[in-house]
Amino acid sequence: FSFSFFVFCLFISKKMLYGHSFLILLGSIISGLISEALSWFLVYRTDDYQRLTKQIEKTAEKLKKEQETVKSKGKDVKVKLLQEKRAEEERDLTFLKMRSMLAVTATMGIFVGLLYSWFDGKVVARLPFIPFPLVQKLSHRNLIGDDYTECSMVFLFILCSMAVRPSIQKLFGHSQPKTSTPSLFSSFSQS
């Protein structure tokens, strides 16, 4: 089904103004869906993942309660132990998700190779700006000419994947468990 759909889109792309960009976006969406299906099959449906996420949430709640009581009493031994336990659980979760990361990498590699064979050396989009010199090598890869507003397939695929994949993860409910790990920007939002 998907191959005939791609052939149909290729036929239509000759008629459409933004056909190449549309096909790359479609390829990004399909690769994201396949990646999330593989992630679900390899990780999210397993009992180990379910158990670890529940443990991380419980540990985060206990840690939050202990941190509140420590402020009033001044004892932080339990807090340190809970932080170590949480770090160990998060490390176990990351190790469990390693299989999924390898499958996602393989899926993305296959789709990049397929799309690259179709759109090698073709301008697929025009950027409304001239990218930084470091980014120009990726955005203008294998394109002839010095117009750096022209965009290659690899750059557009990366941008589309970065935009689409988090939405697909949120749609399927495959998000990280909420923990009390401080983020880089949390200190800025509190001030």
Side-chain angles (χ1 to χ4, degrees), residues 154-168:
V154 175
F155 188 69
L156 186 61
F157 184 80
I158 290 171
L159 289 178
C160 289
S161 294
M162 287 172 53
V164 167
R165 192 154 188 267
S167 299
I168 292 172

Side-chain angles (χ1 to χ4, degrees), residues 25-162:
L25 175 64
L26 185 67
S28 175
I29 292 170
I30 291 172
S31 69
L33 289 171
I34 291 172
S35 296
E36 286 309 305
L38 286 172
S39 294
W40 177 82
F41 182 74
L42 295 173
V43 175
Y44 296 119
R45 72 177 180 94
T46 63
D47 294 332
D48 291 337
Y49 177 81
Q50 302 295 330
R51 181 182 49 80
L52 273 173
T53 54
K54 287 178 184 175
Q55 282 180 353
I56 288 172
E57 289 172 0
K58 286 179 185 177
T59 304
E61 288 175 12
K62 287 179 185 178
L63 181 61
K64 188 175 181 180
K65 288 178 185 176
E66 285 296 323
Q67 285 175 337
E68 290 173 358
T69 59
V70 165
K71 289 179 184 176
S72 62
K73 294 182 180 179
K75 296 180 181 180
D76 61 344
V77 175
K78 284 186 178 180
V79 172
K80 287 183 181 179
L81 290 174
L82 285 172
Q83 286 175 340
E84 290 174 5
K85 182 180 178 184
R86 187 196 67 221
E88 183 179 322
E89 290 169 347
E90 288 177 353
R91 185 176 54 243
D92 291 343
L93 184 65
T94 302
F95 182 73
L96 183 65
K97 291 175 104 179
M98 190 69 68
R99 293 179 292 181
S100 171
M101 287 185 246
L102 292 173
V104 167
T105 302
T107 303
M108 293 293 178
I110 289 169
F111 271 87
V112 165
L114 178 66
L115 291 172
Y116 193 76
S117 68
W118 289 348
F119 299 113
D120 184 27
K122 294 181 183 176
V123 176
V124 295
R126 290 210 180 265
L127 301 174
F129 57 91
I130 296 176
F132 297 112
L134 181 66
V135 179
Q136 281 179 3
K137 293 180 181 179
L138 185 62
S139 68
H140 199 70
R141 184 180 176 144
N142 284 354
L143 297 179
I144 299 171
D146 293 331
D147 184 5
Y148 291 110
T149 60
E150 295 176 343
C151 182
S152 68
M153 184 285 308
V154 175
F155 188 69
L156 186 61
F157 184 80
I158 290 171
L159 289 178
C160 289
S161 294
M162 287 172 53

Side-chain angles (χ1 to χ4, degrees), residues 1-10 23 26-27 30-31 33-34 111 114 118:
F1 172 73
S2 63
F3 179 73
S4 61
F5 185 70
F6 269 110
V7 171
F8 174 72
C9 288
L10 278 174
L23 283 177
L26 185 67
I30 291 172
S31 69
L33 289 171
I34 291 172
F111 271 87
L114 178 66
W118 289 348

